[in-house]
Amino acid sequence: MYDFTTKQSSKTGILIPNDMINKTENNITDDFRRPMGVDLIRILAAMLVAWFHIWQQSWLSAGKLEPLPRTGYVWVDMMILLSGFCLFLPYAIDHENGMEFQKPKGFYRRRMVRILPAYFACVAVHLLVTLFQNQWTQGLGLDLAAHLTLTHTWFLQSYYFTKLGGSLWTVGVLAGFYLLFPVLAKLMYCYPMRTFGAMLLGQVAFTAFAIRLNGSQYQMVFNRLPAFIGVLGLGMVLALLYIKIAILCKKRFGRVFLLLSVAVFGGIFALLKYSLLQSEDGQRWQLLYRMPLAVLFGLLLLCFCLGFGTAQKTGVIAFLSAISYSFYLWHQSIAVWLKQAHIPFWQGDVPPNQLWDKDWMLQYHFLCWGAAFVAATLSFLVVEKLFVRLFVQKTKPNLQKNQQKSNKY
C-alpha cells in the first residue's frame, strides 16, 4: 500500500519515487507492480489461518469444507511465499526492463516501519494481559527479551511455551529473511536459477537434518528460517515468472487463469484432505511436503495475479489486505482470551464446545471473527498508519534534497 522507495530515471537521471515512474518512463511499471491477486491471496491466507485457530477453540463444524479449518495452519507457508514474491517484484520489473540492479536503499528502515510498530504493540498488550493473570517470572523475562530482539523462534521458552502470542513466531522467521534479502535480491537478480537452486538445496539439507529429530527438538526447528528458505526463493522466482507471463499475455486470458485457479485450489484441498489429514504426524508432513505444497501455492498465486489484474488503491479488498497483518497478529490470542473470560457467558469447568453446545459455538465463532477485525482495524489505523505518517514526514525532506542535487547535473 505504501511505496517509499526511489529510483533513478534512465531518461532524466533524477531520483523519483517508484509510484511516479509510470509518469516519466514508458517501461513496464504500475500495470504489474500491484496485482490484485496479491491482495486476495493475502486475505485468503490470513482468513484460513484464523479459521483454524478459531476452530481449535470453538469446534464448530464446517461441513464438507471441514478440511479447510482443520488444516488452515499450512497457509502460513503461503504468507511466507507471498513475502518473497512481493519483496522481489519491483526488482523483477527492473530485470525485465533491462535496468541495472538498484541497491535497496532504506530497505531495513521501511521494513521496520511496516512490521515492528504493530508487532511491538501486540507484544506489549500480551505482556500486560499476562501480568494481569500471573506474576512476573524469570521465564516471562526471557520470553519478552527474545520477542523484543526477534529471536523468539530460537528458544523453547519464547517459542513453544510463549505467553506473548502464539502467532508471532512468523515475524521472527521473516525478520531473518529481511536481514538476508539485500544480498539474496542481488544474487537472484543476476543469477536467478542458480540462486534459487542454492536456496532450495539449503532447505532440502535442513529438512534432512530436522526430520531425524524427535519431540521438542523437532518442534523447535521445523518452522525456522532454513526450513522456509526454498519457499522464499520460489516466491522470488515466481515474481520473475509472473512479469514474463503477464507481458506475454497482455492482460488477456484472465478467465482462463481464474478457471485454472479453481483447479489449483481443488488440488490443494485434495492434498490437505487426503494426505495431511490422514497423516499420523502433521508437523512432519508439513516439513516433508513444504516445497510440493509451496509449488501449488505458487501456481495459485500466479493464477490469481494473472486473472484479477491490477489492484485498486481503495475499496474493501484494499482495506482487508491492509489490515491482514494486524489481523494475523491478534486473532489467535483474542480467541483464547474470550474463551478464558467466558465470553459468550458459560458456567462450569467444562467449556461449552466440549459439551457440543452448538448455540454457544456459533456465537463464540462469529464473536472471535468480529473482535479480531476490530482489533486489526484499530492496530492499523492507530499504530501502523501513525508510524507511516511519521516516516513519510521524515523522508520527504531527504527526497527533496536528492532531487535538488540531481537537478544540478
Side-chain angles (χ1 to χ4, degrees):
M1 186 171 184
Y2 304 98
D3 192 354
F4 303 117
T5 55
T6 60
K7 196 167 293 172
Q8 191 170 30
S9 170
S10 60
K11 295 184 178 180
T12 65
I14 298 175
L15 289 173
I16 56 176
N18 277 348
D19 290 338
M20 297 174 60
I21 292 177
N22 64 308
K23 298 179 182 179
T24 59
E25 299 190 24
N26 294 321
N27 295 339
I28 17 174
T29 53
D30 283 356
D31 284 344
F32 308 111
R33 187 175 298 279
R34 180 77 184 198
M36 184 180 291
V38 165
D39 286 343
L40 293 172
I41 287 291
R42 183 179 287 118
I43 295 167
L44 175 66
M47 297 303 105
L48 287 172
V49 173
W51 196 0
F52 164 71
H53 287 134
I54 295 172
W55 170 84
Q56 274 189 313
Q57 303 296 327
S58 71
W59 294 7
L60 184 65
S61 174
K64 293 183 179 180
L65 297 178
E66 187 76 4
L68 289 179
R70 290 183 61 188
T71 61
Y73 54 89
V74 301
W75 288 84
V76 172
D77 290 27
M78 170 64 97
M79 298 169 72
I80 291 176
L81 175 80
L82 193 61
S83 294
F85 179 89
C86 291
L87 285 181
F88 194 68
L89 184 57
Y91 301 95
I93 294 173
D94 288 352
H95 188 274
E96 192 63 28
N97 282 334
M99 298 177 64
E100 293 184 2
F101 178 79
Q102 301 289 329
K103 293 182 180 180
K105 296 180 180 179
F107 172 78
Y108 293 125
R109 183 185 298 177
R110 292 193 302 275
R111 285 291 88 195
M112 288 172 63
V113 170
R114 176 67 183 93
I115 299 298
L116 294 185
Y119 168 78
F120 284 141
C122 190
V123 170
V125 173
H126 278 82
L127 178 62
L128 292 175
V129 172
T130 302
L131 291 176
F132 177 79
Q133 296 174 338
N134 304 282
Q135 294 181 344
W136 177 270
T137 63
Q138 183 180 4
L140 180 59
L142 295 174
D143 193 0
L144 178 61
H147 276 81
L148 293 178
T149 55
L150 298 172
T151 58
H152 46 291
T153 61
W154 292 86
F155 306 102
L156 189 66
Q157 181 66 43
S158 56
Y159 175 63
Y160 198 69
F161 297 112
T162 183
K163 301 291 185 181
L164 301 178
S167 297
L168 303 188
W169 66 269
T170 316
V171 180
V173 171
L174 291 177
F177 175 59
Y178 297 153
L179 288 174
L180 300 174
F181 179 77
V183 175
L184 292 175
K186 182 163 187 180
L187 290 173
M188 185 68 72
Y189 199 91
C190 300
Y191 316 103
M193 298 315 298
R194 279 182 279 181
T195 302
F196 172 59
M199 296 173 75
L200 178 61
L201 184 61
Q203 179 170 325
V204 170
F206 186 81
T207 298
F209 156 75
I211 204 67
R212 299 173 180 271
L213 303 177
N214 294 298
S216 62
Q217 288 184 321
Y218 175 79
Q219 292 168 342
M220 281 299 300
V221 300
F222 86 104
N223 274 339
R224 284 188 181 171
L225 176 60
F228 289 103
I229 197 67
V231 175
L232 289 160
L234 177 61
M236 297 169 76
V237 168
L238 287 173
L240 292 166
L241 185 59
Y242 159 68
I243 294 299
K244 291 186 177 296
I245 297 176
I247 295 171
L248 183 65
C249 292
K250 297 179 180 179
K251 298 185 178 181
R252 297 174 296 176
F253 312 114
R255 293 183 180 179
V256 173
F257 286 113
L258 292 180
L259 289 174
L260 286 174
S261 68
V262 174
V264 174
F265 189 87
I268 295 172
F269 183 86
L271 180 64
L272 299 179
K273 180 179 180 179
Y274 297 109
S275 183
L276 175 55
L277 288 182
Q278 306 303 318
S279 173
E280 295 182 358
D281 191 334
Q283 291 183 341
R284 291 188 181 276
W285 188 98
Q286 272 187 277
L287 187 62
L288 290 172
Y289 282 82
R290 181 158 281 156
M291 279 310 301
L293 185 61
V295 171
L296 290 176
F297 282 158
L299 289 175
L300 185 65
L301 174 60
L302 281 180
C303 290
F304 266 51
C305 290
L306 295 166
F308 284 102
T310 305
Q312 301 297 318
K313 293 184 179 180
T314 59
V316 175
I317 293 176
F319 178 73
L320 290 177
S321 177
I323 69 171
S324 62
Y325 171 58
S326 286
F327 181 85
Y328 174 79
L329 294 180
W330 285 102
H331 74 274
Q332 184 180 17
S333 296
I334 285 176
V336 173
W337 291 338
L338 286 173
K339 195 172 183 181
Q340 290 176 343
H342 290 219
I343 301 175
F345 179 74
W346 56 277
Q347 293 179 316
D349 298 326
V350 181
N353 61 300
Q354 296 183 25
L355 300 174
W356 298 105
D357 184 342
K358 293 186 177 180
D359 289 338
W360 182 91
M361 292 160 67
L362 192 64
Q363 293 175 27
Y364 170 78
H365 180 86
F366 287 107
L367 181 61
C368 287
W369 283 100
F373 274 113
V374 170
T377 302
L378 290 174
S379 175
F380 174 70
L381 296 177
V382 177
V383 180
E384 293 186 57
K385 293 196 74 172
L386 173 63
F387 278 87
V388 166
R389 289 194 192 100
L390 294 174
F391 178 76
V392 171
Q393 291 174 359
K394 187 175 181 180
T395 54
K396 271 186 177 180
N398 294 331
L399 179 59
Q400 292 173 353
K401 288 180 181 179
N402 289 334
Q403 289 179 332
Q404 290 173 358
K405 290 180 181 179
S406 299
N407 286 332
K408 294 179 181 180
Y409 299 98

